[in-house]
Amino acid sequence: MAKAKVKPHWVLLVCCLMLLPFLFKSSSMEEQKATWLWDASLIEKPEEILDFCKEQGVSVIFLQVQKSVGAEQYRHFISAAHDDNIVVHALDGRPEWAYRKQHGEADQFIDWVLDYNSKAPAEARFAGIQLDVEPYRLKRWERDQAGVVSEWSRNMEAWADKGRAGGLYMSAAVPFWLGKIEAADGNGDLSRWMLDRFDALAVMSYRDNGQQMVDLSRGMLSMADQLGKSVWIGMELGYTEEGAHVSFHGKPLPVMEAEMRNVFRLSESYSSFAGLAIHHYEVWNKKIAAAQPKG
């Protein structure tokens, strides 16, 4: 029996249909971005921030809470973000928060967020809290790392429990090398300990190369896959004295965006990958503006 000839255009159509899921996945993956916003006074003009975030595919903003900004301003900004399908997490932290004696300062921050949320309509509430403590910047870290880790861990566990009990999504910004530090309880490394206690981690895997950023994050991504947690891969755009290889500061915008795409491509196999976290909004906005032709 003679085989029927398959028309070329049908072959092309079938191939296109098979590729559709991958095309759509790539598009949605590249929309998974977060950014840090440290200057809360900027939310007085929400349109500029939110228009930028929509253009760049940002769906999460880590907004530092500052006393100089009133509750009404936060309500207005978060409501506007909600209308644009962008969620806002309250952000704060200092290296000294790792100390047991500083526990109360972070407690006050969390209490403020919980109190604010209790008085705000649903669309104006913070969706979560991100803690950015970074105790390795303390001088004591060099001479008593184990002691600092012990106090830091005790504080972080209490804060994570407190925030989650109030219905908040709890995350922490952490360095990529956290897995090299032993947990205070002696049960594994500190990266697993943090993932166990938080909903997500933002890994500061700062490099000017997407491959390297992902390589530095693989350990936490794999562990988060196992634990059902989420990981943002951090990307630095600002000036740093740690070396040119750490940041995209001064590098052309097309180069930066190509490396962003590399991160998404290399991370898409991890179920825990929550997207890129760009540090930070102000420098990112200026970088985009500087690359645009003057009219």
Side-chain angles (χ1 to χ4, degrees):
M1 187 173 176
K3 293 183 179 179
K5 291 184 178 180
V6 180
K7 294 182 179 181
H9 67 274
W10 281 108
V11 174
L12 181 61
L13 178 61
V14 170
C15 290
C16 288
L17 289 172
M18 291 175 67
L19 285 171
L20 277 176
F22 298 96
L23 294 173
F24 282 118
K25 181 178 181 181
S26 175
S27 174
S28 64
M29 286 295 288
E30 293 198 17
E31 290 178 359
Q32 295 185 76
K33 296 191 188 84
T35 192
W36 285 276
L37 177 52
W38 293 102
D39 185 357
S41 69
L42 296 176
I43 70 173
E44 293 178 8
K45 298 179 180 179
E47 295 80 9
E48 181 178 341
I49 297 170
L50 298 176
D51 285 348
F52 176 86
C53 287
K54 284 187 291 183
E55 289 170 5
Q56 300 304 321
V58 172
S59 56
V60 180
I61 297 174
F62 305 124
L63 173 62
Q64 186 179 35
V65 170
Q66 295 169 339
K67 294 179 180 179
S68 58
V69 177
E72 183 55 39
Q73 288 175 283
Y74 287 113
R75 283 194 289 270
H76 179 61
F77 179 76
I78 297 173
S79 294
H82 177 268
D83 291 342
D84 289 332
N85 296 314
I86 297 171
V87 297
V88 181
H89 293 217
L91 165 70
D92 209 355
R94 296 192 301 119
E96 290 78 12
W97 280 14
Y99 293 146
R100 190 180 311 171
K101 63 182 180 182
Q102 294 293 105
H103 185 280
E105 189 173 330
D107 261 349
Q108 290 175 9
F109 160 60
I110 297 172
D111 285 339
W112 184 92
V113 176
L114 293 173
D115 181 65
Y116 165 89
N117 273 6
S118 71
K119 298 173 181 175
E123 68 276 7
R125 294 172 189 160
F126 287 101
I129 281 179
Q130 182 168 107
L131 297 169
D132 183 18
V133 180
E134 304 186 44
Y136 42 87
R137 298 185 183 277
L138 298 167
K139 290 182 179 179
R140 183 182 157 197
W141 180 267
E142 296 180 6
R143 68 175 189 274
D144 183 23
Q145 184 184 101
V148 175
V149 167
S150 178
E151 292 188 42
W152 180 32
S153 299
R154 186 176 303 167
N155 286 349
M156 293 289 269
E157 183 168 29
W159 296 330
D161 290 345
K162 183 173 187 174
R164 196 177 292 111
L168 292 164
Y169 187 88
M170 298 299 294
S171 68
V174 298
F176 65 84
W177 44 260
L178 204 65
K180 296 179 180 180
I181 307 297
E182 184 179 358
D185 60 7
N187 187 21
D189 64 63
L190 197 52
S191 59
R192 183 182 183 91
W193 188 93
M194 288 285 185
L195 281 167
D196 268 334
R197 283 150 184 83
F198 285 85
D199 297 303
L201 297 180
V203 184
M204 294 179 281
S205 49
Y206 297 157
R207 289 293 183 270
D208 63 352
N209 177 284
Q211 179 75 60
Q212 292 176 10
M213 291 164 63
V214 176
D215 287 346
L216 293 175
S217 307
R218 287 192 192 280
M220 287 199 205
L221 287 164
S222 297
M223 199 174 301
D225 278 0
Q226 299 171 20
L227 299 174
K229 301 299 179 76
S230 295
V231 169
W232 286 287
I233 294 181
M235 184 178 197
E236 178 64 82
L237 308 189
Y239 172 76
T240 172
E241 295 181 352
E242 296 178 49
H245 67 290
V246 173
S247 173
F248 285 88
H249 175 76
K251 297 176 175 69
L253 184 65
V255 170
M256 182 195 81
E257 292 181 337
E259 295 305 326
M260 282 182 167
R261 290 191 291 272
N262 280 339
V263 171
F264 284 106
R265 178 178 58 83
L266 295 166
S267 304
E268 64 182 359
S269 62
Y270 293 96
S271 60
S272 59
F273 178 57
L276 269 171
I278 317 300
H279 189 258
H280 49 86
Y281 164 75
E282 291 95 322
V283 292
W284 190 10
N285 192 10
K286 288 177 182 177
K287 192 174 186 71
I288 297 286
Q292 293 175 345
K294 305 296 186 290

